[in-house]
Amino acid sequence: MTCASDETHIPADLGPIRESFLVFGAPTILAPEMEEVAATLQGGWLGTGPRVRHMEQAFREYKGAPFAAGLNSGTAALHLSLLVTDLKPGDEVITTAMTFCATVNAILHAGATPVLVDIEPHSLNIDPAQIEARLTERTRAILPVHFAGYPCRMDALLKLAHRHGLHVIEDCAHAIETEFQGQRAGTMGDFGCFSFYATKNVTTGEGGMVLSRTEEHDQRLRLLSLHGLSRDAWNRFGKGHYRHYQVLEAGFKYNMMDLQAAIGLHQLARVEENWLRRKAIWQCYQEAFADLPVTLPVEAPNDCRHAYHLYTIRLDQERCGWSRDEILERMNRQNIGVGVHYLSIPEHPFYRERFGWSPDDWPVARDTGRRTLSLPLTPGMHDTDVEQVVEALRRAMHK
Ligand SMILES: *Cc1c(COP(=O)(O)O)cnc(C)c1O
């Protein structure tokens, strides 16, 4: 693919650069997923069963983790991890001001109070140096997010957690392939929460997985994921003779289906191949945009691994002359889908009203949310798609 661009013919009107709209975060679904879904439908067992167990095992092996439980979303993984942490009302959980709302909502639904910390400007991850000032005697846990797939400084976070007796729950929704100094994301904290939403690096349509470190936690997560039942349906109906179940807790309906695992198993098998393709696209963008008035995303340190989930650039508004929202519009007009990850949490009316938060109290997250945009970065993109994104951004930025 050609990463350079010929800038001699920039049209003033900015019409479509391609016929069809390039959907941001489009999943790459191939024949093996389709065949396995068809086989699952034909087999007649759609719910939680052998394919989910198989996907859990494959995920455990991929992550080198002792326990993995399949769920129906990453949000469910966060919610259950927080519940298993046994938070009491009024307990506080430290998290980042730069994340998807699900991270904060899960804390609320677990009955605890979210406490936001600002981010480091280069990694866009929670700034460990600012955590101490936000600790109180009610702080029980830290919930870092490996933003865009860039690993959080887990050494500093784990040290803080250890010193203050806090649980650590990793939000790994962007970070399936992420590593911090040889340790895999999701295996460093007490829990690792993964999302298989349609735009994520591995997808099941909707879905999630939670890693835990003890059998006790794993059992409780499984119990809570299926109404609090003592036995899942496969064990009740699947093996020839009927067995009664008992309700041991008021649980949730968070179980993963075999239909989802049918997709996920084949997605997971291609996770490294897809990572390489996204890395190549990421590097192409880095070269192509080096001379634009934007701040490019940073590579992870040498002893770490970036998951390349999002390619997020930050506009230098003064030099560029367009606002971020104008650039979003100018990309869409050229038939290129773009994303915003994310408006900082305190920008949303619910949190402002509930907690009296103002975006100005987390200025790095505020500015990141107002000035960045994410470009398409999926393994199914052809070289021509990548070249069109490059050309479209150069045209969109042209004054
Ligand atoms: C996608 C995402 C989630 C939620 O995952 P779902 O599977 O959509 O519930 C949580 N946190 C972050 C950072 C995410 O990007």
Side-chain angles (χ1 to χ4, degrees):
M1 90 196 119
T2 321
C3 303
S5 154
D6 157 24
E7 215 151 291
T8 44
H9 308 290
I10 291 186
D13 61 316
L14 273 189
I17 200 166
R18 49 182 284 139
E19 216 160 287
S20 63
F21 192 77
L22 181 63
V23 176
F24 180 88
T28 308
I29 303 295
L30 300 184
E33 285 94 311
M34 299 187 204
E35 284 158 18
E36 186 97 25
V37 166
T40 309
L41 291 170
Q42 273 153 6
W45 187 272
L46 311 186
T48 306
R51 284 186 170 88
V52 171
R53 297 290 98 88
H54 189 171
M55 172 136 184
E56 290 170 343
Q57 188 193 331
F59 202 73
R60 270 198 305 274
E61 282 164 14
Y62 178 66
K63 300 301 297 191
F67 302 101
L71 300 172
N72 63 4
S73 74
T75 308
L78 291 166
H79 186 200
L80 294 187
S81 299
L82 287 155
L83 287 174
V84 170
T85 300
D86 275 330
L87 301 166
K88 309 274 174 300
D91 283 353
E92 294 171 0
V93 178
I94 300 269
T95 193
T96 164
M98 177 46 62
T99 184
F100 185 54
C101 60
T103 316
V104 177
N105 290 347
I107 296 171
L108 287 168
H109 294 314
T113 304
V115 174
L116 303 183
V117 169
D118 209 354
I119 55 173
E120 304 171 318
H122 71 286
S123 68
L124 309 183
N125 283 333
I126 190 167
D127 182 355
Q130 296 189 49
I131 291 179
E132 207 120 36
R134 305 265 184 182
L135 294 177
T136 73
E137 72 239 18
R138 305 304 309 262
T139 311
R140 293 288 174 270
I142 307 180
L143 205 176
V145 179
H146 304 289
F147 186 88
Y150 190 107
C152 289
R153 280 164 51 196
M154 293 306 294
D155 51 349
L157 297 178
L158 292 171
K159 209 161 128 192
L160 263 170
H162 190 72
R163 191 178 326 136
H164 298 279
L166 309 174
H167 298 276
V168 176
I169 297 156
E170 299 176 66
D171 183 334
C172 303
H174 302 177
I176 290 176
E177 307 89 341
T178 296
E179 291 177 15
F180 179 79
Q181 298 178 348
Q183 306 260 85
R184 298 179 180 120
T187 65
M188 293 171 274
D190 301 279
F191 302 96
C193 302
F194 295 82
S195 167
F196 305 136
Y197 178 63
T199 60
K200 303 292 160 79
N201 291 355
V202 164
T203 186
T204 59
E206 298 279 3
M209 190 76 77
V210 55
L211 300 183
S212 58
R213 299 164 82 95
T214 68
E215 181 152 21
E216 191 195 335
H217 280 165
D218 183 61
Q219 290 299 314
R220 182 108 194 280
L221 289 163
R222 288 174 184 283
L223 191 81
L224 286 171
S225 75
L226 193 66
H227 307 296
L229 302 190
S230 56
R231 263 190 200 105
D232 68 29
W234 178 250
N235 285 318
R236 280 184 280 133
F237 305 123
K239 289 187 188 155
H241 58 286
Y242 187 84
R243 296 202 281 177
H244 287 289
Y245 61 83
Q246 292 179 306
V247 177
L248 305 180
E249 273 195 78
F252 299 84
K253 189 67 172 71
Y254 283 169
N255 54 307
M256 179 186 277
M257 298 191 285
D258 269 20
L259 259 183
Q260 293 165 297
I263 306 171
L265 274 167
H266 297 283
Q267 288 271 307
L268 194 55
R270 292 199 307 272
V271 64
E272 289 299 306
E273 192 184 311
N274 289 343
W275 178 83
L276 281 171
R277 175 66 183 154
R278 290 197 312 278
K279 181 183 160 98
I281 299 171
W282 213 86
Q283 284 167 344
C284 176
Y285 286 161
Q286 292 291 80
E287 263 179 62
F289 304 140
D291 64 329
L292 292 181
V294 298
T295 305
L296 301 177
V298 290
E299 275 283 0
N302 278 334
D303 56 351
C304 295
R305 190 184 200 210
H306 200 302
Y308 304 116
H309 174 57
L310 298 172
Y311 185 84
T312 299
I313 56 171
R314 177 180 169 132
L315 299 185
D316 177 344
Q317 204 152 310
E318 260 87 83
R319 276 168 62 218
C320 156
W322 301 101
S323 73
R324 191 273 309 275
D325 288 0
E326 283 169 331
I327 297 292
L328 294 176
E329 181 56 35
R330 289 168 66 76
M331 292 299 281
N332 280 342
R333 265 166 50 197
Q334 297 179 83
N335 266 352
I336 304 292
V338 283
V340 173
H341 300 90
Y342 302 92
L343 289 178
S344 75
I345 290 292
E347 299 272 15
H348 298 287
F350 170 77
Y351 307 110
R352 298 173 75 135
E353 281 157 32
R354 170 89 175 259
F355 300 107
W357 290 342
S358 154
D360 301 338
D361 294 330
W362 295 270
V364 183
R366 175 199 61 199
D367 294 348
T368 301
R370 292 177 184 177
R371 294 181 192 163
T372 57
L373 71 136
S374 305
L375 300 177
L377 179 66
T378 49
M381 288 170 74
H382 298 291
D383 287 358
T384 48
D385 298 326
V386 179
E387 286 160 9
Q388 284 163 346
V389 173
V390 166
E391 197 53 37
L393 184 69
R394 301 189 69 90
R395 286 186 188 180
M397 304 265 301
H398 196 76
K399 215 28 197 192

